[in-house]
């Protein structure tokens, strides 16, 4: 069994259509740890010691957030600045996160076609995520293919919220129960609810 | 004297013994009182007590109850209820009266008897139903609200009924009826229009109408204009009991006035209640009248139980039971049908149907009145009226059973249908704020501007006047009194914010609420450090030191002015707050209110440790809190190489 830690960050929680439902579903999953970062640190006073302890107690660190300006909401960045200390997460003696996994669960407003060299976002999704990918690498963690919902603003009308949330739950449960095939997807792709590499049995 | 004391003692002991047992068995207080009355009845007969006259006295409890109901109901809400009040209530009374009249013609030969019986059984029991709904917390449900509309209409409808019944008297008896009209001794208390004294007796119709309208106008205008100066006047004396005296005086006075002009006292006090519902004295009045209402209603239910004529009941058991169930079935059918028309759904429909299916206390009044008016035959000659009284009493006796049936059989079936999305419940119980000074006022502004409902209590009359001038709604009352908290709705409240000045009273209030209302979240203002420990010991966990945040900001401001970068000053003070709160909590755990702190060894030891840690900061020792806040922004080269960071306790803990 893998110990899963979900960090959820959404400053506009109450206006959310997808992330809020995802968060509620994730919170209800048994035997995983769920942290609503903005509820935990409404005044950005992140407690470094507590967060590092939490990281040490888990194997898979999931960040769930909506894409803001091709990056994370600002509290996640603050969290990185404070928690991923030299000597803890990287650098000399910084091996405490070695062997753990990082997984991103992202919603993006643009459609998947936009995230191509010809699309209006001009770069593939994975290009925008390279800072996080490299952060994981520097911390000797492996970076899994992100679980992405494109076109999130249209998702409620398109009936995509329910399958995406359902997929998210299956994904988290599969990781917890060691049924998730982290190696199945490539290094340059993202996965959606219809392409989850979940094994049937352990 | 001894007789009165004996009687009072008997009633009290019967209630004190029977009600807790009944409540424990899930039967509700009303059935408890009724059973107490039944148990008492042989003793009362032996003592030759006139139960009926006690019942008339106790009916005043109904008057008080309607006053309290009015207090809960702002005029705006009453206006919004008008469709249900007139439509639902009117149809219920008319249809039920018609059906039961029709049914009664099969049993009695005179159509006037049948019509009287129809009117009697169209009414339901305001006393039992409202008491039970309140007890079960169902008053605010849709079924409870619909039931309340109907009951209110019935209470108003009693007045025209009392006027109408004498007209039913047989022609040859009309003269005698006229004679009795002026000497009728009964039914002053609840709805009797022809009491001994009257202001309108013998006046021509238009003058009578004028006096009546004048009386109502006096209640409405007087209630809204006189209350404030009156309460301010008695506040000078600073005596608790004066408020109770004024509240009682008001209710009794209005009831008297209404009786004198031939209106229902229940209606009059209800009206006064509605007028005062917007006043800041509402909760004060409520907590003053509440115990009297409870006791009188209890007495009323006991007398209902005691008045059951068991000889007649047993000799006609089959008939009474059959008639009772017949009445309940007809009434329930009408209510059920109306609930479809007025879109009352689910469990509420059944609450409405079963809750109002009994006959009511006004039935006693109407039957007695009809007998004295010769509309119904004399009980000595014909047992009809005694039988009717039995059916009314028996149906009231069965009401708790119907509520139990609702609780056990019907409510569970609909329970699942009402689960809501847990994340979307923003509407919770209200927040009670005790004390509206500089502190409580800001708390109130923040909470209410976020859309939460607040109930603010303050005990300073002059403060209230200032606030009212700015349109801020604050109720007059002392939040440290349990009955006041009750009136302010502590049972339904989700939170209490204690912002009163007196340290000991604040601590006592915390202790009371933690002990008696553990569901209420408490936020409390502490005056100083010692007070924090006392509050902690009393069970408070969300304690706000009133000067702390201000002092922290002043410290930060000073650091900035001393040349520290604003962000460094922010982190420095933030670190201080974390450290100080930890210290506070650690000391609170060892604080003992009974031992002076300097004689408490654990307290002294921990304090010394904290003083040492401050000294470390002064010497620049990095193990103290000051270093922690700089940790994140130290360039990696400054961190100790080769080994885990010495400052990170997490690493060493792992």
């Amino acid at each position: 069994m893998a110990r899963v830690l979900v960090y959820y960050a959404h400053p506009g929680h109450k206006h959310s259509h997808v992330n809020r439902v995802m968060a509620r579903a994730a919170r209800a999953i048994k035997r995983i740890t769920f942290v609503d970062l903005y509820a935990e640190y409404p005044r950005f006073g992140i407690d470094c010691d507590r967060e590092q302890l939490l990281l040490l107690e888990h194997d898979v660190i999931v960040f769930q957030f909506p894409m803001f300006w091709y990056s994370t909401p600002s509290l996640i960045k603050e969290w990185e600045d404070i928690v991923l200390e030299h000597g803890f997460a990287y650098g000399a003696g910084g091996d405490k996160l070695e062997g753990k996994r990082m997984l991103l669960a992202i919603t993006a407003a643009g459609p998947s076609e936009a995230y191509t060299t010809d699309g209006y976002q001009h770069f593939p999704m994975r290009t925008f995520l390279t800072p996080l990918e490299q952060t994981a690498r520097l911390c000797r963690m492996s970076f899994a293919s992100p679980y992405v919902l494109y076109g999130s603003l249209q998702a409620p009308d398109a009936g995509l919220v329910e399958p995406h949330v359902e997929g998210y739950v299956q994904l988290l449960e599969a990781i917890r129960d060691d049924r998730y095939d982290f190696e199945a997807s490539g290094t340059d792709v993202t996965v959606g609810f219809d392409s989850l590499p979940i094994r049937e049995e352990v | 004297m001894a007789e009165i004391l004996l009687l009072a003692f008997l009633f009290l002991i019967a209630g004190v013994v029977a009600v807790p047992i009944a409540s424990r068995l899930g039967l509700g207080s009303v059935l408890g009182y009724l059973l107490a009355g039944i148990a008492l009845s042989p003793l009362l007969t032996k003592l030759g007590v006139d139960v009926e006259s006690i019942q008339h006295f106790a009916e005043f409890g109904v008057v008080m109850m309607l006053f309290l109901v009015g207090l809960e109901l702002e005029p705006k809400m009453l206006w919004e209820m008008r469709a249900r009040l007139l439509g639902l209530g009117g149809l219920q009374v008319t249809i039920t009266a018609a059906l039961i009249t029709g049914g009664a013609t099969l049993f009695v030969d005179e159509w006037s008897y049948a019509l009287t019986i129809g009117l009697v059984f169209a009414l339901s029991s305001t006393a039992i139903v409202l008491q039970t709904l309140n007890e079960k917390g169902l008053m605010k449900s849709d079924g409870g609200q619909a039931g309340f509309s109907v009951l209110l209409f019935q209470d108003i409808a009693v007045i025209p009924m009392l006027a109408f019944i004498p007209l039913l008297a047989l022609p040859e008896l009309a003269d005698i009826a006229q004679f009795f009209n002026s000497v009728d001794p009964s039914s002053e208390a609840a709805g009797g229009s022809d009491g001994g004294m009257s202001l309108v007796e013998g006046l021509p119709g238009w003058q009578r109408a004028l006096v009546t309208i004048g009386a109502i106008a006096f209640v409405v205008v007087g209630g809204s204009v006189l209350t404030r100066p009156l309460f301010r006047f008695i506040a000078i004396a600073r005596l608790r009991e004066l408020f109770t005296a004024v509240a009682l005086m008001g209710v009794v006075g209005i009831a008297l006035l209404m009786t004198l002009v031939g209106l229902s006292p229940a209606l009059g006090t209800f009206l006064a209640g509605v007028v005062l519902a917007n006043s800041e004295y509402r909760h004060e009045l409520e907590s003053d009248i509440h115990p009297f209402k409870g006791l009188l209603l209890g007495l009323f239910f006991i007398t209902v139980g005691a008045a059951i004529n068991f000889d007649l009941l047993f000799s006609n058991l089959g008939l009474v039971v059959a008639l009772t169930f017949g009445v309940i079935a007809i009434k329930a059918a009408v209510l059920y049908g109306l609930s479809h028309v007025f879109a009352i759904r689910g469990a509420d429909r059944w609450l409405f149907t079963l809750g109002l299916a009994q006959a009511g206390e006004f039935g006693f009044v109407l039957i007695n009145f009809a007998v004295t008016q010769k509309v119904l035959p004399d009980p000595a000659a014909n047992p009809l009226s005694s039988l009717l009284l039995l059916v009314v009493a028996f149906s009231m006796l069965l009401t708790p059973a119907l509520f139990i049936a609702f609780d056990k059989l019907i409510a569970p079936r609909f329970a699942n249908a009402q689960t809501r999305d847990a994340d979307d419940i923003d509407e919770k119980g209200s927040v009670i704020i005790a004390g509206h000074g500089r502190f409580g006022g800001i708390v109130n502004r923040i909470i209410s501007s976020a859309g939460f409902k607040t109930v603010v209590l303050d005990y300073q009359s002059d403060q209230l006047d200032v606030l009212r001038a700015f349109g801020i709604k604050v109720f007059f009352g002392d939040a440290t009194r349990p009955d006041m908290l009750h009136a302010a709705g502590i049972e339904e409240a989700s939170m209490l914010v204690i912002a009163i000045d007196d340290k000991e009273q604040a601590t006592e209030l915390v202790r009371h609420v933690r002990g008696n209302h553990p569901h209420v979240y408490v936020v409390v203002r502490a005056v100083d450090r010692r007070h924090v420990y006392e509050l902690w010991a009393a069970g408070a966990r969300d304690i706000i030191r009133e000067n702390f945040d201000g002092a922290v900001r002043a410290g930060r401001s000073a650091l900035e002015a001393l040349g520290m970068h604003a962000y460094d000053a922010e982190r420095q003070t933030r670190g201080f707050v974390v450290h100080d709160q930890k210290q506070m909590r650690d000391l609170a755990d060892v604080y003992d209110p009974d031992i002076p702190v300097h004689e408490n060894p654990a307290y002294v030891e921990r304090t010394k440790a904290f003083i040492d840690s401050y000294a470390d900061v002064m010497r620049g020792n990095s193990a103290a809190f000051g270093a922690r806040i700089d940790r994140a922004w130290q360039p990696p080269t400054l961190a100790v190489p080769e080994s885990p960071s010495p400052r990170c306790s997490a690493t060493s803990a792992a």
Side-chain angles (χ1 to χ4, degrees):
Chain A
M1 195 189 104
R3 299 168 299 172
V4 182
L5 170 61
V6 178
Y7 277 120
Y8 165 54
H10 195 332
H13 182 79
K14 67 175 175 179
H15 302 297
S16 159
H17 296 299
V18 184
N19 270 289
R20 184 166 65 150
V21 192
M22 289 171 72
R24 191 189 308 150
R27 194 194 289 275
I29 299 176
K30 294 196 172 56
R31 289 176 286 129
I32 72 167
T33 309
F34 179 90
V35 176
D36 178 348
L37 265 183
Y38 274 93
E40 203 71 35
Y41 300 112
R43 284 167 288 281
F44 280 54
I46 287 168
D47 185 337
C48 169
D49 293 341
R50 188 168 75 178
E51 292 306 315
Q52 291 184 353
L53 268 179
L54 207 54
L55 288 177
L56 292 172
E57 288 165 358
H58 292 86
D59 308 313
V60 180
I61 317 300
V62 180
F63 289 98
Q64 180 206 325
F65 58 89
M67 191 98 162
F68 284 177
W69 285 111
Y70 314 108
S71 182
T72 67
S74 59
L75 184 54
I76 291 186
K77 183 62 169 63
E78 178 84 354
W79 180 94
E80 290 170 349
D81 291 352
I82 289 179
V83 179
L84 301 179
E85 260 187 328
H86 183 269
F88 173 81
Y90 72 102
D95 55 358
K96 301 295 175 293
L97 303 179
E98 187 168 356
K100 296 184 191 297
R101 293 181 186 276
M102 182 192 291
L103 172 72
L104 309 179
I106 301 172
T107 58
S112 57
E113 312 87 78
Y115 291 90
T116 55
T117 39
D118 300 329
Y120 73 84
Q121 302 287 28
H122 193 67
F123 296 103
M125 176 57 89
R126 287 294 294 258
T127 306
F128 292 119
L129 300 177
T130 47
L132 286 158
E133 188 173 347
Q134 176 54 23
T135 298
R137 184 171 295 131
L138 186 67
C139 296
R140 307 181 205 179
M141 302 169 77
S142 52
F143 187 78
S145 292
Y147 180 61
V148 181
L149 177 69
Y150 295 97
S152 62
L153 298 182
Q154 282 76 43
D157 292 336
L160 293 178
V161 176
E162 204 177 313
H164 184 73
V165 172
E166 180 55 32
Y168 187 47
V169 171
Q170 284 177 6
L171 164 70
L172 293 174
E173 287 179 345
I175 296 174
R176 180 196 65 190
D177 301 338
D178 298 320
R179 286 185 288 111
Y180 191 77
D181 193 350
F182 282 99
E183 319 304 333
S185 12
T187 52
D188 56 347
V189 296
T190 62
V191 295
F193 57 81
D194 49 1
S195 57
L196 286 170
I198 295 176
R199 288 191 298 268
E200 282 306 312
E201 78 298 342
V202 176
Chain B
M1 185 65 186
E3 274 171 39
I4 295 176
L5 290 180
L6 173 68
L7 209 55
F9 184 67
L10 279 180
F11 282 124
L12 287 171
I13 202 170
V16 167
V17 172
V19 173
I21 295 176
S23 298
R24 189 64 183 272
L25 296 175
L27 306 175
S29 71
V30 175
L31 194 56
Y33 282 120
L34 291 171
L35 293 174
I38 293 173
L40 267 189
S41 86
L43 200 56
L44 294 176
T45 321
K46 197 161 275 179
L47 292 169
V49 176
D50 181 5
V51 174
E52 204 171 300
S53 64
I54 296 177
Q55 193 171 76
H56 287 313
F57 169 68
E59 274 164 8
F60 200 68
V62 180
V63 173
M64 286 179 162
M65 182 173 64
L66 276 159
F67 178 68
L68 294 177
V69 168
L71 274 181
E72 295 278 342
L73 202 69
E74 292 172 24
K76 202 177 73 186
M77 280 167 64
L78 191 62
W79 182 244
E80 281 165 8
M81 276 172 57
R82 66 192 184 281
R84 278 195 167 177
L85 189 65
L86 297 177
L88 194 55
L91 285 173
Q92 187 271 335
V93 170
T94 333
I95 297 174
T96 314
L99 285 179
I100 293 188
T101 304
T105 49
L106 304 176
F107 295 96
V108 296
D109 8 311
E110 300 289 344
W111 66 270
S112 60
Y113 293 180
L115 186 51
T116 310
I117 293 169
L119 292 178
V120 164
F121 288 108
L123 304 175
S124 310
S125 174
T126 309
I128 293 183
V129 178
L130 288 195
Q131 180 83 358
T132 313
L133 287 178
N134 275 327
E135 224 169 80
K136 295 187 183 299
L138 293 169
M139 196 60 200
K140 296 273 192 288
S141 70
D142 193 40
Q145 285 295 302
F148 174 70
S149 309
V150 171
L151 290 169
L152 193 59
F153 181 86
Q154 292 177 353
D155 290 343
I156 299 168
V158 170
I159 303 152
M161 285 185 190
L162 286 165
F164 176 70
I165 283 176
L167 305 179
L168 290 177
L170 299 174
E172 60 268 33
L173 292 172
D175 297 339
I176 308 168
Q178 199 58 42
F179 171 74
F180 275 101
N181 198 6
S182 53
V183 294
D184 167 35
S186 69
S187 69
E188 274 107 304
S193 67
D194 293 83
M197 288 186 294
S198 176
L199 285 176
V200 290
E201 197 66 34
L203 290 180
W206 65 272
Q207 284 182 8
R208 199 174 172 135
L210 217 59
V211 172
T212 310
I213 291 167
I216 292 177
F218 178 76
V219 169
V220 173
V221 176
S224 49
V225 176
L226 289 180
T227 320
R228 211 162 273 160
L230 187 60
F231 270 96
R232 214 174 302 155
F233 172 69
I234 59 166
I236 296 168
R238 294 194 163 277
L239 283 175
R240 247 316 280 121
E241 61 269 27
L242 273 189
F243 287 99
T244 313
V246 167
L248 274 181
M249 184 184 83
V251 173
V252 172
I254 291 163
L256 176 68
L257 179 67
M258 289 297 120
T259 313
L260 288 180
V261 298
L263 285 180
S264 151
L267 179 66
T269 49
F270 171 75
L271 211 58
V274 174
V275 170
L276 291 172
N278 274 327
S279 119
E280 61 270 33
Y281 295 102
R282 167 179 146 191
H283 293 302
E284 173 72 34
L285 286 166
E286 216 173 311
S287 65
D288 285 334
I289 296 291
H290 205 271
F292 293 99
K293 174 218 102 175
L295 284 176
L296 281 177
L297 270 189
L299 181 59
F300 174 75
F301 295 133
I302 290 181
T303 58
V304 171
I308 291 176
N309 183 339
F310 278 96
D311 294 336
L312 190 69
L313 176 62
F314 288 131
S315 51
N316 297 284
L317 190 62
L319 181 66
V320 171
V321 170
L323 285 177
T324 307
F325 280 100
V327 166
I328 289 180
I330 292 177
K331 296 192 70 165
V334 171
L335 292 163
Y336 189 79
L338 287 174
S339 72
H340 278 275
V341 179
F342 284 82
I344 303 160
R345 295 199 173 82
D348 287 310
R349 169 176 296 166
W350 286 102
L351 177 66
F352 178 69
T353 301
L354 294 179
L356 297 180
Q358 77 292 97
E361 56 277 359
F362 285 117
F364 296 124
V365 177
L366 284 185
I367 292 170
N368 287 332
F369 181 64
V371 170
T372 54
Q373 297 290 316
K374 302 289 170 199
V375 177
L376 287 178
D378 189 342
N382 184 335
L384 177 62
S385 61
S386 306
L387 278 176
L388 290 176
L389 285 173
L390 270 182
V391 174
V392 172
F394 201 53
S395 74
M396 287 166 77
L397 201 60
L398 283 179
T399 308
L402 291 179
F403 272 109
I404 292 169
F406 171 78
D407 273 350
K408 299 269 183 273
L409 300 178
I410 291 160
R413 277 203 280 146
F414 292 94
N416 291 332
Q418 293 184 339
T419 48
R420 289 167 58 195
D421 195 341
D423 219 351
D424 295 334
I425 301 174
D426 286 332
E427 187 67 37
K428 299 197 186 89
S430 62
V431 178
I432 300 177
I433 300 177
H436 195 286
R438 287 173 302 169
F439 195 94
I442 290 172
V443 177
N444 182 33
R445 276 163 57 198
I446 290 175
I447 298 180
S448 49
S449 67
F452 291 93
K453 184 172 174 285
T454 60
V455 178
V456 186
L457 300 171
D458 203 295
Y459 204 57
Q460 281 173 305
S461 237
D462 43 351
Q463 171 88 351
L464 297 190
D465 291 343
V466 176
L467 292 171
R468 192 170 339 99
F470 294 105
I472 298 170
K473 192 153 178 74
V474 179
F475 291 105
F476 176 84
D478 177 359
T480 58
R481 272 170 41 207
D483 55 342
M484 195 66 217
L485 276 182
H486 171 77
I490 190 89
E491 273 82 11
E492 295 88 42
S494 57
M495 182 184 289
L496 171 68
V497 179
I498 303 175
I500 53 179
D501 292 329
D502 191 296
K503 272 170 37 172
E504 279 74 32
Q505 284 195 342
T507 312
E508 200 38 58
L509 186 52
V510 168
R511 195 167 290 127
H512 171 77
V513 173
R514 295 301 306 151
N516 297 288
H517 309 284
H519 69 283
V520 176
Y521 185 89
V522 176
V523 179
V524 58
R525 168 174 74 159
V527 176
D528 52 31
R529 188 168 280 262
R530 182 72 58 85
H531 194 209
V532 171
Y533 302 146
E534 282 162 6
L535 291 168
W536 182 273
R541 289 298 175 264
D542 201 340
I543 305 167
I544 311 294
R545 280 177 281 170
E546 59 178 358
N547 287 324
F548 187 73
D549 288 56
V552 166
R553 284 172 59 191
R556 190 180 58 205
S557 207
L559 287 180
E560 288 176 19
L562 284 167
M564 192 180 271
H565 186 280
Y567 193 63
D568 292 340
E570 167 63 27
R571 292 192 66 84
Q572 180 79 20
T573 45
R574 210 186 269 179
F576 170 82
V577 170
V578 170
H579 182 77
D580 187 76
Q581 279 172 346
K582 178 179 172 357
Q583 172 188 354
M584 200 85 189
R585 167 124 355 147
D586 285 355
L587 287 177
D589 283 335
V590 293
Y591 177 80
D592 185 338
D594 299 328
I595 311 174
V597 285
H598 62 277
E599 290 174 20
N600 181 337
Y603 188 94
V604 170
E605 192 186 322
R606 287 201 188 182
T607 309
K608 275 184 176 168
F610 279 117
I611 292 173
D612 286 348
S613 73
Y614 274 114
D616 280 344
V617 178
M618 303 295 282
R619 283 187 237 109
N621 187 322
S622 57
F625 79 86
R628 194 171 66 208
I629 54 181
D630 272 341
R631 197 164 100 196
W633 282 272
Q634 289 175 10
T637 47
L638 293 185
V640 180
E642 300 307 328
S643 65
S645 163
R647 288 178 293 280
C648 188
S649 57
T651 323
S652 46

